[in-house]
Amino acid sequence: MMQRSAPAPEQSASIKQDRFLAELADIVESRPVDLSHPRIQSDREAMEHAVLEILNRPGRKERRKGRLGLIITLSLVGLVIVSVGSAMPAPAAERIEGRTTVTDGDTIAVEGTKARIRLYGIDAPESGQTCDDAAGKRYLCGTQAADHLAELIGRSGRVTCFEEDRDRYGRIVAECSTPGNVVINAEMVRAGWAVEYDQYSDGRYDQEEAAARSAKRGMWQGTFVEPSKWRRGDRLQTERVADGQPAGCAIKGNISGSGRIYHVPGQQAYSKTKIDKKAGERWFCSPKEAEAAGWRAAKR
């Protein structure tokens, strides 16, 4: 069977460029787009002829009018677009190196800068989050996750990170490694002190999570609420009892210098807001109930 060889890369790029210029000319002149080979070849020959004529008559000042002038202009534009587009490399991932301090189980700060790095693809329990161990006893899993991250980074505190994205708070989202080439994102999941953040991960840590769950490491030793759900107000029964939260009532009525403000799950300050019943703060089951009691909604 006869096989047709693929065009060389240079030839393929030239064909694409010619088709682009022909289509652009038709659009500008409000004509039906014609990408037939005779039409494209005709435009190319006309362009070459016009360019040669201009080059051979350097003193000529009058402008070329009509189709040839348009083809030259579009050709130059097309050449710039094609050349720049093919010459520019894909942007390299930003590399961040330096000493770091642990903010929480999935966030580190780079010393000497304002940069905060959110570890890509993982979600660790929040600083104030508690979990239940195998015996059903509450413990500060958020604190233990942060402690484990600090152990992974070690005394030197030095890490190398490659940026993957930016989150909605403007933080760098990156995969980070220690000088010993330990990928701390993966190790946090493998140790069971973070889960893979499915919503923002490409699945690269799913094997580590499966291994942690199977071996009952870290949070998997007992029961816990996924960090993303915990931020939205979900709580273990032991947490609700300890916080005095009625079942089904997750709105926090806080009293501060700004007045009586209620926070709903998912808002920025929700997880940090603590309810002090002695100070008159309370839980609400709906925004309507909170507003009827004299509280107003938090702005963010």
Side-chain angles (χ1 to χ4, degrees):
M1 181 182 294
M2 188 175 186
Q3 293 185 341
R4 180 178 297 172
S5 59
E10 296 83 359
Q11 180 184 357
S12 178
S14 177
I15 292 171
K16 290 180 180 178
Q17 179 181 322
D18 290 343
R19 289 172 62 86
F20 166 76
L21 295 174
E23 183 176 3
L24 189 57
D26 284 336
I27 292 172
V28 171
E29 292 189 346
S30 300
R31 294 194 311 268
V33 175
D34 179 5
L35 299 180
S36 63
H37 179 73
R39 156 67 199 291
I40 294 174
Q41 184 65 24
S42 173
D43 269 7
R44 185 166 187 80
E45 291 174 354
M47 179 190 72
E48 292 172 351
H49 176 77
V51 170
L52 287 174
E53 183 177 334
I54 291 174
L55 291 174
N56 290 331
R57 301 174 67 181
R60 184 171 180 173
K61 295 183 180 180
E62 69 263 29
R63 298 174 59 190
R64 291 190 59 84
K65 297 182 179 180
R67 184 169 182 74
L68 292 183
L70 175 63
I71 292 172
I72 294 172
T73 301
L74 296 178
S75 298
L76 293 174
V77 172
L79 285 170
V80 170
I81 293 173
V82 172
S83 299
V84 171
S86 59
M88 288 186 67
E94 183 181 350
R95 181 186 178 112
I96 306 105
E97 291 183 286
R99 287 180 56 86
T100 59
T101 55
V102 172
T103 302
D104 57 34
D106 52 32
T107 310
I108 55 179
V110 181
E111 291 185 1
T113 74
K114 295 181 179 179
R116 285 202 170 191
I117 298 174
R118 176 71 158 80
L119 297 179
Y120 168 82
I122 73 171
D123 202 12
E126 296 296 320
S127 298
Q129 184 172 348
T130 62
C131 303
D132 290 350
D133 64 15
K137 185 178 178 181
R138 292 177 70 218
Y139 69 98
L140 291 169
C141 50
T143 299
Q144 291 207 19
D147 289 344
H148 187 72
L149 178 56
E151 288 177 13
L152 286 174
I153 294 174
R155 289 187 177 182
S156 72
R158 298 196 67 83
V159 298
T160 300
C161 302
F162 290 93
E163 181 177 344
E164 299 267 355
D165 200 358
R166 297 282 175 126
D167 69 10
R168 59 179 177 173
Y169 303 116
R171 294 178 299 184
I172 296 168
V173 179
E175 186 171 75
C176 301
S177 302
T178 68
N181 293 323
V182 174
V183 179
I184 59 180
N185 310 50
E187 287 304 313
M188 286 294 293
V189 177
R190 192 195 313 276
W193 293 118
V195 295
E196 183 163 31
Y197 205 170
D198 293 335
Q199 185 179 353
Y200 300 106
S201 173
D202 57 9
R204 69 182 72 173
Y205 310 125
D206 55 358
Q207 292 184 2
E208 286 81 359
E209 181 171 302
R213 183 190 294 111
S214 176
K216 298 186 183 302
R217 291 194 288 261
M219 295 183 293
W220 298 103
Q221 66 182 286
T223 56
F224 65 93
V225 174
E226 289 182 20
S228 59
K229 294 180 179 178
W230 194 88
R231 290 191 291 272
R232 293 198 294 267
D234 287 7
R235 294 291 185 272
L236 293 172
Q237 177 63 25
T238 53
E239 289 184 282
R240 287 200 301 269
V241 170
D243 293 339
Q245 177 186 354
C249 301
I251 297 175
K252 296 179 177 181
N254 179 247
I255 300 175
S256 67
S258 301
R260 295 172 178 250
I261 299 174
Y262 69 84
H263 303 264
V264 301
Q267 288 190 303
Q268 187 173 337
Y270 182 84
S271 62
K272 297 179 181 179
T273 301
K274 304 298 181 183
I275 297 300
D276 182 356
K277 290 188 175 181
K278 293 180 180 179
E281 297 175 336
R282 53 180 290 195
W283 294 91
F284 293 104
C285 300
S286 69
K288 185 176 181 180
E289 179 189 1
E291 289 164 10
W295 268 258
R296 59 185 173 86
K299 292 182 179 179
R300 60 183 186 277

